[in-house]
Every structure is written in C-alpha cells, then in structure tokens.
Amino acid sequence: MSDFYIDCFRRRAWTEIVEKQYHLPHNLSRAEHNTINSLRNNSDIIIKKADKGGGVVIMNKLEYEQEAARQLSNSTFYRPLSSDPTEEYQKKLHHLLQKLPGKAQEQICIDTCLEPRPGIFYLLPKIHKPGNPGRPIISGIGTLTAGLSGYVDSLLRPYATSTPSYLRDTTDFLRKLQSIGDLPDNAILATMDVEAPYTNIPHKDGLQAIRNSIPDNATANLVAELCDFVLTHNYFTFGVNIYLQVSGTAMGTHMAPQYANIFMADLEQRFLSTRSLMPLLCLRYIDDIFIIWTHGKETLEEFHHDFNNFHPTINLSLDQSTQVVHFLDTTVLISDGHINTTLYRKPTDRYTYLHTSSFHPEHTTRSIVYSQALRYNRICSNPSDRDKHLQDLYQAFLKLQYRPAKVKKTD
C-alpha cells in the first residue's frame, strides 16, 4: 500500500476501483490517514495499478493469487524451478560478457546489481476486459540480466526505429497522417491489435527477426546471442516459488519493447511481400497497427484473415470503419474525403494527473497542465471540438485542486 494513496473507492465486480488521485496530499485528515493504514494492514487485499487508464484497483488477495496461479501453470510459457539458479547463471553471464568490448562489459557490470535477485512477478488487472484478467509483469529491477538487457536495448533501438511503419508516439502518428491528401470514396480505416504479443513471440522466431534486421552478420549473431541470454534466463518469484519463463519475453525487462518492435516489423514486412493488394497507409506502434485500405471490405477481411494465419502464435483482432476508428489516444475520422482527428479517452481513463497538494515543485504541476493542453491541441483538428475537450480537462484539474487562474493561463 505504501505507493498508493487513496481518497475514495467503489465496488466493481471483484475489484474496487479508486476514483480519485492516489498521490499523497500533505493535508490528509486523521480519518483519511486511518483509512490508509487500515488498507495497508489488511492482509486480505491486494492493491495494484489498473492495466490501463491510471486507476488503482483494490482486489481480493485470494482471487489475485488464483489468477496468477492460472497463468503460471501454463507450461507453454513458464516452468517451475526447484532452486534459485542465480549463482549458476552468473557464471554463464560472465563467460558471455567476455565476447564484448571492454567498455560494454564495464557498463553492463555498472548497471547490474552486485547481489542480483530473481525478478518479481505481478499482475496489472485489466478492468477494461470481461473477467478482469491480469497482465503479467516481471520486474527486472536488481536482476541478473538488468544491465545486459539495457545494453541490448541500445543495440536494438536503431534497427527497430528505422522500419517503414514504425511509430514513435502519437505526435509521430499525426504527422504521418498529414502526409495523406484526399482519400478515395472507398477508403476504409482499420486497426489491428496483437493478443499478448510479448508472451507469444517464440524465442527462435524473435531471434531470427533480429538476424533479418541487422545487415552485418557478425553483429546480428552477437546481438541475437545476447538477446537469447536475456530471454532464456528470465527467472522470477511469485510468493515462495521460483519460475523460469520459457517462451516469449517478459514485460518489465528493458529490451522487451524494441525486441517486440523488431519481431513485428519483420513479420509485417514478410507478410506484405506476399500480397498483391497493399494498404494505402500502414503504421504500427509496437503491436498496434493502423491502416487505410482502398480495395473494398471483402479484400480487407481477406488481408486480415491471411495476416492472422501468417504466424502460428500471433493473433490479430480487426476493427474497421468507413467513418471512424480509435488508435492510440486518437480518434481518426473521415470527413468529406479528408482525415480529421480528435481525442480518444478510454472508458477506464481516470484523469489521474498529479494532485496539486503533492510534494512537488510548482513548475512540475504547471508543466503537467501545459503538456496536456498541448497534447489536446495537437490531436484535435477541429477547433470547437478541441475547446470542448480542453474544458473537460480544465474541470479535471479543478477537481485536483489546481488554481483556476493558473490553469486558464496555461491553456
């Protein structure tokens, strides 16, 4: 409970979702302090951040443990270990590092804990999905592979970010949308999303994608070997038990996003090379894909069907419309043959910005207001629509006790 500070909460299914900001204000009443302490000392509950939206979830500890046990019992992804393998793995890592330049070895050693420990497995409840399953996260802080994973991330990043469909963020997405002029009358907006991509990337295929993406064979093989060590030595604890992840990569290790980026880029390019009909535009943020299709609904569904069957463990959902789709934090619309955009807020979004009474300098809270207003201005292409969303944002900051004059001045 030490990281979560809660004003109020309500029941929803097997969770109680905290509605207000959870940063600790300096003016909590005695009753609020007592409430926090009672929650902290309650051994029957677990408190976690929601997977999306910024909410905080208070849930029954037994049901949380049952969900974790369900996932960890899947032998496709996890294998229980009889003992802590740290000492054995340290020797293997030391041998592997001898293949690297001295400066790289030194940096990895600096970034690796002197007394490494197993990762820690936990779940982020998906309150936006039926049954509220948990997203598995393995904290890599203080683990044996933390330094190596950070180094591998720096090696992978240039290749991940140079792929044709790569998106860095929403601003990059909006900029690339602007390159599209008038749309044909038959244009269809579509998004595709991969189900659990991190855990569903087989080691063999992920490492081959790295080799395919790095032109120099010697460099490619070395980077793949380093990745392989991180992937195959991802051991962690849940409760008193120790496990090894045997497939996929853990969410929580430094290299995971770029590794998934490279795998998806390689998969996407190999699939597109087999197609006679191509999207007008194809953009991807890790595993979230946005396309503009101009060949009719039937061929779009055929495209999705074939893409969905191109790899045995990668499953893609499809959402399509001739008018509007949601992608990242943006709603994309077709209006009079042109692309327009507006803000998209997920139903779980709690406006969980920093509370003004938290112990932060004033320039921090001021910059939060400014950055959010700037984001709204970038996303909303229609001025009246933008003003409506900014008014909602203004009200959200007032609820967090920001001074009205300061908020209006920043806007």
Side-chain angles (χ1 to χ4, degrees):
M1 179 61 198
S2 60
D3 292 331
F4 302 97
Y5 305 94
I6 303 166
D7 296 320
C8 66
F9 51 90
R10 64 183 174 84
R11 172 71 63 180
R12 176 178 173 176
W14 55 274
T15 67
E16 291 176 326
I17 305 169
V18 176
E19 294 290 350
K20 291 188 177 180
Q21 183 65 24
Y22 51 86
H23 297 278
L24 177 62
H26 56 70
N27 57 349
L28 285 179
S29 67
R30 181 179 296 274
E32 289 169 325
H33 272 295
N34 289 339
T35 299
I36 289 173
N37 286 329
S38 67
L39 289 171
R40 178 189 293 119
N41 297 324
N42 188 339
S43 60
D44 295 327
I45 63 173
I46 290 286
I47 302 175
K48 293 292 180 185
K49 291 174 65 175
D51 178 51
K52 293 182 179 178
V56 179
V57 178
I58 302 176
M59 54 193 295
N60 183 287
K61 183 178 180 181
L62 178 60
E63 294 180 358
Y64 174 83
E65 292 176 342
Q66 287 174 341
E67 170 65 7
R70 180 189 69 81
Q71 296 195 24
L72 293 172
S73 65
N74 189 335
S75 59
T76 300
F77 304 112
Y78 306 107
R79 175 166 62 86
L81 300 178
S82 58
S83 61
D84 186 339
T86 299
E87 185 175 347
E88 174 192 351
Y89 288 179
Q90 277 181 308
K91 295 177 181 177
K92 292 182 179 180
L93 178 60
H94 178 74
H95 178 73
L96 176 64
L97 294 185
Q98 303 306 307
K99 300 182 180 182
L100 299 178
K103 287 186 178 180
Q105 293 184 43
E106 181 180 353
Q107 186 58 54
I108 292 171
C109 290
I110 290 173
D111 294 338
T112 303
C113 184
L114 291 176
E115 297 183 359
R117 59 167 177 76
I120 299 174
F121 179 94
Y122 63 94
L123 301 172
L124 296 181
K126 298 182 180 183
I127 59 175
H128 58 290
K129 291 195 174 182
N132 309 120
R135 182 185 297 279
I137 309 290
I138 300 174
S139 172
I141 299 173
T143 62
L144 180 65
T145 60
L148 178 60
S149 185
Y151 177 69
V152 170
D153 176 73
S154 69
L155 298 178
L156 294 179
R157 188 173 299 273
Y159 304 102
T161 58
S162 63
T163 55
S165 62
Y166 172 80
L167 286 174
R168 184 176 66 253
D169 51 25
T170 297
T171 302
D172 191 26
F173 175 59
L174 295 171
R175 182 167 52 250
K176 289 175 179 176
L177 276 184
Q178 291 173 0
S179 67
I180 301 297
D182 295 342
L183 293 175
D185 293 338
N186 63 344
I188 301 174
L189 304 174
T191 61
M192 289 185 281
D193 180 47
V194 180
E195 178 184 346
Y198 286 81
T199 52
N200 281 307
I201 302 174
H203 294 340
K204 178 182 177 182
D205 297 342
L207 297 175
Q208 186 58 51
I210 289 172
R211 295 187 182 96
N212 294 344
S213 304
I214 301 177
D216 181 73
N217 287 337
T219 302
N221 288 330
L222 177 59
V223 175
E225 186 177 4
L226 299 177
C227 283
D228 184 56
F229 187 91
V230 176
L231 294 169
T232 57
H233 295 79
N234 178 35
Y235 64 107
F236 59 89
T237 61
F238 183 76
V240 298
N241 298 315
I242 301 179
Y243 299 85
L244 179 69
Q245 185 164 354
V246 295
S247 182
T249 183
M251 291 190 68
T253 189
H254 288 293
M255 72 169 218
Q258 302 311 334
Y259 175 74
N261 244 326
I262 287 178
F263 171 79
M264 285 303 304
D266 179 72
L267 183 73
E268 171 189 277
Q269 290 304 305
R270 288 190 293 110
F271 172 70
L272 290 177
S273 69
T274 68
R275 311 305 296 178
S276 57
L277 297 178
M278 300 287 284
L280 176 66
L281 180 69
C282 181
L283 301 172
R284 179 183 46 77
Y285 182 79
I286 307 180
D287 64 306
D288 292 324
I289 302 170
F290 173 88
I291 66 174
I292 299 178
W293 189 259
T294 57
H295 308 292
K297 181 179 178 180
E298 183 176 338
T299 58
L300 171 60
E301 292 176 351
E302 179 184 347
F303 179 90
H304 167 252
H305 176 271
D306 293 346
F307 200 173
N308 204 35
N309 288 280
F310 193 68
H311 190 281
T313 66
I314 299 301
N315 297 311
L316 300 102
S317 62
L318 172 67
D319 183 27
Q320 59 171 304
S321 172
T322 58
Q323 296 178 318
V324 56
V325 295
H326 305 303
F327 185 73
L328 303 180
D329 55 352
T330 302
T331 296
V332 183
L333 310 96
I334 297 179
S335 177
D336 298 325
H338 297 281
I339 290 286
N340 288 325
T341 56
T342 187
L343 182 74
Y344 174 62
R345 291 182 59 240
K346 291 181 172 62
T348 54
D349 190 347
R350 303 292 181 208
Y351 279 123
T352 49
Y353 305 118
L354 189 69
H355 197 284
T356 190
S357 61
S358 295
F359 290 103
H360 288 78
E362 185 178 351
H363 69 78
T364 300
T365 52
R366 188 168 59 245
S367 67
I368 291 173
V369 177
Y370 174 80
S371 63
Q372 291 304 309
L374 179 62
R375 183 171 72 93
Y376 281 39
N377 272 284
R378 285 174 174 167
I379 292 176
C380 299
S381 55
N382 182 291
S384 61
D385 177 63
R386 175 203 62 202
D387 292 344
K388 176 183 178 298
H389 284 295
L390 284 174
Q391 181 60 29
D392 292 341
L393 182 65
Y394 172 74
Q395 294 298 327
F397 281 122
L398 293 188
K399 290 180 180 179
L400 295 170
Q401 300 178 15
Y402 284 66
R403 286 178 288 176
K406 289 285 187 182
V407 177
K408 287 183 177 179
K409 182 179 179 181
T410 306
D411 285 350

